[in-house]
Amino acid sequence: MTSLELGREAARLLDQKKARDIRMLEIKNISTLGDYFVVASGTSTTQVKAMADEVEFQLKEKGIYPKRVEGYQSAAWIVLDYYDVIIHVFCEETRQFYSLERLWTDAPQVDLSDILDPEQEDDK
């Protein structure tokens, strides 16, 4: 699975768990951290944990394991690091505070409209 496919799969899995405001940023030409960031929000720490758990479980089923997982205890911001794809799952307030998209304004957004539920996007 390429890093683009992995990022898109993570976004799809987050969407299935009702994640809000899912974004995928291409960082490979502006950072050595990886190729993509996937960013999503949940409305509670319970939902944030459920979203992170689902992504980790489904990717493990495909033989893909994270290098590390950070922030699970507090669940205000969970980071799943898959080497070239780094998945950030936030509580909405924490995401607003850190504003990763603003920090990474030079990173182009990957179009996810073909995999995200448009009705769910309208509710956001």
Side-chain angles (χ1 to χ4, degrees), residues 6-25:
L6 177 60
R8 289 174 54 82
E9 178 64 6
R12 186 186 70 75
L13 293 168
L14 290 164
D15 189 53
Q16 288 181 345
K17 282 295 191 181
K18 308 294 185 204
R20 301 173 66 90
D21 197 19
I22 302 167
R23 306 288 169 105
M24 186 168 164
L25 307 175

Side-chain angles (χ1 to χ4, degrees), residues 18-120:
K18 308 294 185 204
R20 301 173 66 90
D21 197 19
I22 302 167
R23 306 288 169 105
M24 186 168 164
L25 307 175
E26 183 180 323
I27 62 167
K28 64 183 170 187
N29 294 323
I30 58 175
S31 175
T32 59
L33 292 174
D35 293 344
Y36 298 96
F37 279 168
V38 177
V39 184
S41 301
T43 57
S44 68
T45 56
T46 302
Q47 185 188 19
V48 167
K49 283 182 177 181
M51 291 186 302
D53 287 346
E54 182 69 8
V55 170
E56 191 173 3
F57 174 77
Q58 292 297 333
L59 292 179
K60 278 182 180 175
E61 290 289 303
K62 297 174 189 237
I64 302 168
Y65 295 85
K67 176 170 58 173
R68 73 175 174 265
V69 177
E70 299 286 338
Y72 194 83
Q73 291 300 80
S74 73
W77 178 4
I78 298 176
V79 178
L80 302 162
D81 184 347
Y82 286 92
Y83 299 91
D84 292 332
V85 178
I86 302 167
I87 303 162
H88 301 267
V89 186
F90 288 97
C91 278
E92 290 177 332
E93 306 80 36
T94 307
R95 183 174 180 178
Q96 290 172 2
F97 179 80
Y98 286 101
S99 191
L100 281 187
E101 294 94 337
R102 188 171 37 89
L103 292 172
W104 292 88
T105 56
D106 293 343
Q109 286 197 36
V110 176
D111 181 13
L112 300 172
S113 61
D114 61 321
I115 60 171
L116 300 182
D117 181 354
E119 288 184 24
Q120 189 170 308

